[in-house]
Each structure stands twice: as C-alpha cells, then as structure tokens.
C-alpha cells in the first residue's frame, strides 16, 4: 500500500462512471485541498481530506506537502514507433518548403516507411522503447500508438508487434491502432485499391488472429486517401471489431469527419481546418474531437478551433501526435500549455482534455484519466507549485517530482 499525505491539491477527482466532460463542464477541475490518497494493489483505493486520513495502516507513507497530484496524462494519438528521424525535412521547411512540397520530393511518411522497412524488429523496438520511457518520465500513463510507417503488410505487422511488446514490457497502458492506410508507396503506381485490398484481405485477418490492434485509422486527406477509401477501410475494420480513430481535416476538409461519425468513430483527430458544418456534425455524436497542438506548432499550420468547439458545447481531448515528421515530441505538458497559449483554453479545460477526455478517446476511461476509486493508480506528483495554473504557465519546465504507474513508484 502507498499512502500520500498532506497533498496540497488532489486534482481531477471524478466518479468512476464519468465518460468525458464537454462544453462548460470542461471549466471545472474537481479537487480536494489538503488531501490524502491511498493506493492498494495498483488501484486507487481511497482519497479525501486529511482529517479523514486512515491512521495506523501498514503502508509506505509519502509526505506530499506543497505538492499536487494529478492522474497521468492520457495521450490518445501517437506514432511513437518509428525508425530514424526526419530532421533534414525540418531544415527544409525552415528554408521555405512546405509539408506538401517535401512529400512531392519523396520525403514525408514514405521516407519514414523506407527506414522502418529496413530496420529489424528488435532494433525498432529498442528505438521506440527509449521514446516511450521518455514520455513516461514526462507524466504520460496511457498511450495510443499507431502503425502506418510500414506501408507493406510485413512492415505494418512488424510495427504492430513492436507496439504489443511495448505494452507487455513497460508499465504504461498502451492501445494499438492499425493505420495501414497512412500513405501509398510509389511502387503501387497510384493503385490505391490494390493496397487497400491487401490491407483488408491479408493484414486484418492476421491482426485479428494475433490480437494486434484495438482501433483502425486512415489518413483521410487530399493527396492521401479519399472519403470513399475511408468508408472502405472503416467498414472492414468494423467487421473485425476495430473502432475508428481517424486522421481528418488536417490540411483540407473533405467530409472524412462525417464518415467517421457515421461509423461511430471513437475520435476524429487533427481538425486544423474546420467548417461550421463539421462542428455541427460532432454535436449529438459520441465521437471525441482531438486537436493536436504540437503538430500545428511544429509545422506552423493553423491550430484547431478548440475554443470554438468547446463554446459550441463539444468535448475535446488533447494528444501529442508524437511522430518523426510533424511532431517530434510527446511532451504532454507542452501540449497542455500550447492549448492554453495558442487555442485559448483555460488550464482546467486543457487538463480535462489531456486526462479524462484523452482516456475516453483511447477507450480506457473506465480504468484511467481521473482520480476515482477503483481506477488504475497511474498518477504523478508535482514539485511544490503555487497553483494548478502554474502547470501550463511554466511551459518549458518539468514539474514532475514522482511518477506512479500501476501503484508503483517509477524510478
Ligand atoms: O498525424 N498526418 C498524418 N500523419 C502524421 C504525420 C506523418 C508524417 O509526416 O510522418 C500526423 O501528423
Ligand atoms: Fe497523427
């Protein structure tokens, strides 16, 4: 047992059954001042005011005076499994090329795929493990990871097996998403159907057999995959029990978002380009919109209109999009800060978006995302700080003092 005492503020206390928070509810971050938190067998057992703190129990006691405790970040969108890096494209952009122009020159996703195809599975695992350990140290306790840098059946399956191994070897909760339809390799000579059929007929059955994915994704975007490609993939995913979480409205709005909603997508992600009708479509759905501010920051593209979405009564979740091309960072504290600074979210809204709503967007809200009795004890303790607002305010600092995953302190 682990007992934290004298916690300055215990943040994000929720009934276990709260699925997500939306609209005005996002302004509230329920908390207890001068609190205790008791963890047993990896689970949050109890919490409350210090005057009700259990006495004389056989637990390791930690004094958290001046410090705050939050549920770990739930990062519902990442491509953290990849080989090598793409810093030369970063320099190309500084010198004036756009993301699209770099793609036309053979860079972009296909560039990462070439590297990944040549990288043995164990080497890919080792490279990726370093990054997952890095985000654990930054306070992430749940992480969704996509395939999509393989782009051949073998390489896609290699990625998914690496994700599965990361999940079994590391203390963080990981969910896997099959993003075979991320880009088309030049060797297909533009024959998208041939590639999609391969994914549907050859890869999906193996994914099912080896239990390699929880969700299905597609990059629905001009120059990548169309809305009808999206329908084809989502329909196939549905047959195999894979809920959609899809890339839409990053550079152009072409109706992929509506298709996602039609197939009951758990989330629609990116949303840098949103029309009024896209915001309307999200109302009365259970699909979580997921802006990725780190991507907008790194590519200098518009930020998703998160403020407008919340004001329209929608929920939002925030995620990192950690990947070698558009967001080489999985720092969720930076994501939360950037959402406050660039999207005008309040600190409470941004923290809700990166915890409880993030948990929903990756299907783990019954286990993670809030301080609730019975949820998994994935939490972090801050250094002594003045207020919760200080967390996004100090955008470049690491404020983490102690990390607990599955009830165990991570060294
Ligand atoms: O989410 N937008 C599509 N996919 C990734 C980036 C892909 C890449 O450039 O490697 C994203 O931003
Ligand atoms: Fe992405």
């Amino acid at each position: 047992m682990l007992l934290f005492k004298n916690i300055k503020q215990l943040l994000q206390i929720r009934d276990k059954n709260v699925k997500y928070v939306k609209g005005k509810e996002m302004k509230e971050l329920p908390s207890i001042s001068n609190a205790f938190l008791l963890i047993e067998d990896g689970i949050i057992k109890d919490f409350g005011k210090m005057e009700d703190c259990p006495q004389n129990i056989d637990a390791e006691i930690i004094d958290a005076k001046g410090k705050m405790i939050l549920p770990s970040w739930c990062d519902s969108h990442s491509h953290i499994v990849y080989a090598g890096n793409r810093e030369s494209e970063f320099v190309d952009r500084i010198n004036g090329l756009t993301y699209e122009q770099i793609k036309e020159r053979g860079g972009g996703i296909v560039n990462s795929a070439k590297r990944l195809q040549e990288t043995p599975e164990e080497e890919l695992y080792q490279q990726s493990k370093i990054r997952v350990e890095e985000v654990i140290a930054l306070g992430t306790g749940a992480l969704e990871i996509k395939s999509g840098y393989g782009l051949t059946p073998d390489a896609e399956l290699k990625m998914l097996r690496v994700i599965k191994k990361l999940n079994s070897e590391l203390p963080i909760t990981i969910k896997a998403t099959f993003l075979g339809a991320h880009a088309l390799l030049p060797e297909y000579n533009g024959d998208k159907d041939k590639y999609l059929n391969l994914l549907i007929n050859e890869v999906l059955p193996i994914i099912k057999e080896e239990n390699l994915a929880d969700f299905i994704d597609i990059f629905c975007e001009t120059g990548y995959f169309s809305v009808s490609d999206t329908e084809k993939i989502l329909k196939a995913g549905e047959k195999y029990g894979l809920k959609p979480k899809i890339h839409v409205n990053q550079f152009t709005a072409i109706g992929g978002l509506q298709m996602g909603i039609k197939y009951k997508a758990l989330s629609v992600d990116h949303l840098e380009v949103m029309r009024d009708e896209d915001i309307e479509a999200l109302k009365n759905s259970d699909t979580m919109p997921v802006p990725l501010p780190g991507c907008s920051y790194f590519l200098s593209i518009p930020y998703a209109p998160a403020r407008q979405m919340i004001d329209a009564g929608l929920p939002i979740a925030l995620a990192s999009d950690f990947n070698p091309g558009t967001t080489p960072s999985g720092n969720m504290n930076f994501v939360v800060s950037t959402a406050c600074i660039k999207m005008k979210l309040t600190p409470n809204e941004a923290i809700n978006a990166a915890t409880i709503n993030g948990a929903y967007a990756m299907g783990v809200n019954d286990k993670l995302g809030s301080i609730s009795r019975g949820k998994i004890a994935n939490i972090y303790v801050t250094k002594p700080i003045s207020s919760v607002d200080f967390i996004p305010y100090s955008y470049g600092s690491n404020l983490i003092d102690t990390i607990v995953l599955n009830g165990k302190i991570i060294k």
Side-chain angles (χ1 to χ4, degrees), residues 262-374:
K262 179 174 168 195
Y263 282 85
K264 301 206 166 8
L266 190 57
S267 73
V268 285
D269 302 26
H270 270 288
L271 316 179
E272 287 86 345
V273 180
M274 286 289 274
R275 304 164 298 181
D276 289 347
E277 68 212 74
D278 298 323
I279 293 185
E280 270 319 296
L282 284 162
K283 293 179 183 170
N284 306 315
S285 82
D286 262 330
T287 297
M288 180 66 71
V290 184
L292 307 165
C295 174
S296 298
Y297 175 81
F298 190 71
L299 290 187
S300 300
I301 61 173
Y303 287 84
R307 177 77 268 147
Q308 202 189 329
M309 291 192 262
I310 295 173
D311 291 345
L314 295 177
I316 65 148
L318 290 167
S320 73
D321 199 21
F322 196 167
N323 78 74
T326 70
T327 324
S329 164
N331 185 335
M332 284 297 285
N333 205 329
F334 178 78
V335 168
V336 165
S337 291
T338 307
C340 294
I341 297 162
K342 297 292 184 185
M343 297 170 156
K344 300 277 179 269
L345 266 60
T346 66
N348 285 359
E349 287 172 331
I351 292 170
N352 274 318
T355 53
I356 185 138
N357 287 6
Y360 176 84
M362 56 182 290
V364 297
N365 53 295
D366 56 335
K367 298 197 273 284
L368 292 157
S370 62
I371 304 289
S372 311
R373 289 177 190 85

Side-chain angles (χ1 to χ4, degrees), residues 5-8 62-67 384:
K5 287 175 115 171
N6 305 318
I7 306 161
K8 178 170 174 158
I62 298 175
D63 189 350
K65 193 167 190 314
K67 303 171 182 179

